């Protein structure tokens, strides 16, 4: 089968000096794998482009590997480091603007500073939105204090990619089970919960044009849409929304396929959310580019659906 042309959105790099933020995560990786990951995260010129060419990936949207400044306790330093990261990324993109675009790193410690840095990233550096690595020191973003940030983001008409991070406090059910606490389960629970806080916190009612992207086939949310409606109707806890919870999942919450190369899951996500809400991604270098490309190239969907998932939706949402 011919290789489909693709755009990928959850594709990471590592700016020198940011490794320390990932130290706890990296301790779980064996040295040989860590060395290879380090080479791939630092590369912009050979390894990455070779894999893109083989997989039919025309363009990747690059973002700093997590947790980045979301783990920085000093607000002033977080702003400086975010700006340094964004300037570094813009310089790398300028070398190959035909193959690379970027997501801004944001210091969400301060909503106004985050809004200013997003605006700088979009209007001056040419970024296509932001990637935020979950909560910032235990702070989530549905509160009214973040409304100035969401308002600016809506005005700029760019998406946020909400990326996984460790929970601020370990989930008791996962205590003593590190195999579950991270990427295999815990990160998805954390990120899906954060996204639901945005929904039930009324963020998308106040700013209805916002687009927040979730990786890993939506961290499981597409497959609970019916139950969210059913149980919210029974137990609203005093919350009023303008739409059913399910209606935000597919309009304000969009997803990528990163890290879930399953045809039945893809078909189910499209069935739940509609084809316009699903986009291809790899999660480079933590997942296999070859496996991700083979998965989507052979997916049992109509050609028009595959074109939308592989590149059309990303081009529309990111203004490419």
């Amino acid at each position: 089968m011919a290789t489909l042309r693709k755009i990928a959105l959850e594709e990471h790099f590592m700016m020198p000096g940011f490794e320390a933020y990932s130290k706890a995560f990296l301790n779980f990786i064996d040295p040989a794998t860590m060395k290879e990951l380090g080479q791939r995260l630092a590369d912009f010129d050979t390894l990455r482009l070779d894999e893109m060419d083989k997989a039919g990936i025309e363009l990747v949207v690059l973002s700093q590997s997590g947790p980045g400044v979301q783990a920085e306790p000093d607000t002033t330093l977080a702003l400086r480091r975010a700006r340094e990261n964004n300037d570094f990324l813009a310089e790398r993109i300028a070398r190959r603007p035909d193959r690379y675009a970027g997501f801004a790193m944001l210091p969400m410690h301060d909503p106004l500073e985050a809004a200013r840095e997003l605006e700088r990233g979009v209007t001056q550096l040419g970024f296509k939105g932001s990637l935020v690595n979950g909560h910032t020191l235990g702070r989530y973003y549905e509160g009214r204090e973040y409304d100035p940030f969401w308002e600016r983001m809506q005005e700029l008409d760019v998406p946020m990619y909400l990326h996984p991070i460790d929970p601020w406090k370990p989930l008791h059910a996962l205590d003593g089970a590190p195999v579950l606490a991270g990427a295999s389960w815990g990160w998805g629970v954390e990120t899906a919960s954060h996204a639901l806080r945005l929904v039930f916190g009324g963020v998308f009612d106040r700013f209805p044009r916002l687009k927040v992207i979730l990786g890993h086939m939506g961290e499981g949310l597409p497959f609970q849409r019916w139950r969210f409606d059913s149980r919210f109707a029974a137990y609203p806890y005093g919350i009023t929304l303008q739409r059913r919870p399910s209606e935000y999942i597919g309009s304000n919450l969009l997803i990528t396929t990163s890290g879930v190369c399953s045809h039945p899951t893809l078909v189910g996500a499209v069935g739940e959310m509609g084809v316009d809400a699903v986009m291809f991604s790899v999660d480079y270098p933590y997942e296999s580019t070859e496996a991700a490309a083979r998965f989507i190239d052979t997916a049992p969907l109509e050609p028009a659906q595959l074109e939308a998932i592989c590149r059309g939706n990303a081009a529309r949402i990111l203004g490419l």
Side-chain angles (χ1 to χ4, degrees), residues 11-29:
E11 319 308 322
H12 304 296
F13 73 96
M14 181 72 75
M15 177 182 171
F18 273 75
E19 298 88 349
Y21 292 124
S22 302
K23 185 176 181 180
F25 162 62
L26 300 181
N27 284 340
F28 293 103
I29 301 176

Side-chain angles (χ1 to χ4, degrees), residues 175-193:
D175 186 33
V179 69
L180 296 177
S184 61
W185 181 247
W187 289 355
V189 173
E190 167 67 29
T191 308
S193 299

Side-chain angles (χ1 to χ4, degrees), residues 10-170:
E10 189 181 339
E11 319 308 322
H12 304 296
F13 73 96
M14 181 72 75
M15 177 182 171
F18 273 75
E19 298 88 349
Y21 292 124
S22 302
K23 185 176 181 180
F25 162 62
L26 300 181
N27 284 340
F28 293 103
I29 301 176
D30 66 86
T33 301
M34 190 60 252
K35 182 178 179 181
E36 181 182 355
L37 286 175
Q39 292 172 339
R40 292 181 177 276
L41 286 166
D43 171 72
F44 293 88
D45 302 314
T46 55
L47 298 173
R48 190 187 301 267
L49 289 170
D50 287 346
E51 288 202 16
M52 289 169 60
D53 289 342
K54 292 174 183 176
I57 299 175
E58 299 176 327
L59 183 84
V60 298
V61 186
L62 297 170
S63 55
Q64 169 66 49
S65 187
V69 298
Q70 266 61 70
E72 174 53 61
D74 185 314
T75 298
T76 300
L77 181 56
L79 173 59
R80 178 168 65 81
R81 300 242 61 198
R83 291 177 66 92
E84 291 172 352
N85 170 87
N86 293 336
D87 289 341
F88 174 88
L89 178 56
E91 291 172 359
R92 298 309 183 275
I93 293 171
R95 300 177 184 177
R96 290 302 306 266
D98 57 323
R99 307 304 300 275
Y100 297 145
F103 281 142
M105 170 178 283
L106 300 180
M108 298 297 286
H109 312 58
D110 183 323
L112 291 177
E113 291 293 353
R116 293 188 187 103
E117 185 58 17
L118 176 63
E119 184 166 19
R120 187 181 81 93
V122 172
T123 62
Q124 297 182 31
L125 303 181
F127 290 160
K128 305 306 177 183
S130 65
L131 183 141
V132 172
N133 289 293
H135 64 80
T136 296
L137 307 174
R139 289 181 68 186
Y140 297 91
Y141 310 136
E142 79 275 12
R144 292 278 184 168
E145 68 274 17
Y146 279 96
D147 279 5
F149 168 79
W150 295 119
E151 182 177 19
R152 186 72 55 83
M153 179 175 148
Q154 181 170 259
E155 291 170 352
L156 292 166
D157 192 25
V158 294
M160 172 193 284
Y161 203 117
L162 187 63
H163 189 269
I165 194 173
D166 284 335
W168 180 239
K169 295 181 180 179

Side-chain angles (χ1 to χ4, degrees), residues 274-310:
V275 71
D276 291 343
V278 183
M279 294 171 280
F280 171 78
S281 284
V282 176
D283 201 355
Y284 180 94
Y286 302 107
E287 296 283 355
S288 165
T289 303
E290 180 184 1
R294 184 170 61 249
F295 148 72
I296 201 67
D297 285 341
T298 59
L301 296 173
E302 295 297 323
Q305 293 178 307
L306 287 172
E307 196 282 332
I309 292 168
C310 285

